[in-house]
């Protein structure tokens, strides 16, 4: 299932998959995996980089069950 909160935050911040990948220093395919699979949780350093890039708290961006 898709990670809707992360996608919404990216749209609000006007960040593309490539933009977020660059800011998190990961490959664009990694960001695509984050978006496609809500069960995939990025490493802490990538969570923090994404949260900073999206001006959000990362726990609000991922569906953790």
């Amino acid at each position: 299932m898709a990670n809707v909160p992360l996608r919404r935050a990216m749209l609000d911040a006007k960040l593309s998959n490539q933009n977020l990948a660059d800011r998190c220093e990961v490959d664009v395919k990694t960001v695509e995996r984050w978006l496609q699979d809500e069960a995939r949780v990025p490493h802490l350093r990538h969570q923090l980089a994404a949260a900073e890039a999206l001006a959000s708290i990362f726990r609000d961006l991922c569906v953790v069950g």
Side-chain angles (χ1 to χ4, degrees), residues 19-39:
N19 294 141
L20 186 59
D22 291 345
R23 291 183 182 213
C24 293
E25 299 180 354
V26 297
D27 190 82
V28 68
K29 292 296 270 181
T30 299
V31 172
E32 291 169 3
R33 288 185 200 104
W34 296 342
L35 291 166
Q36 292 173 0
D37 185 0
E38 70 182 24

Side-chain angles (χ1 to χ4, degrees), residues 7 9-17 19-20 23 50 53-54:
R7 171 66 70 194
M10 289 173 64
L11 289 172
D12 290 346
K14 296 179 176 53
L15 285 179
S16 68
N17 293 4
N19 294 141
L20 186 59
R23 291 183 182 213
L54 298 168

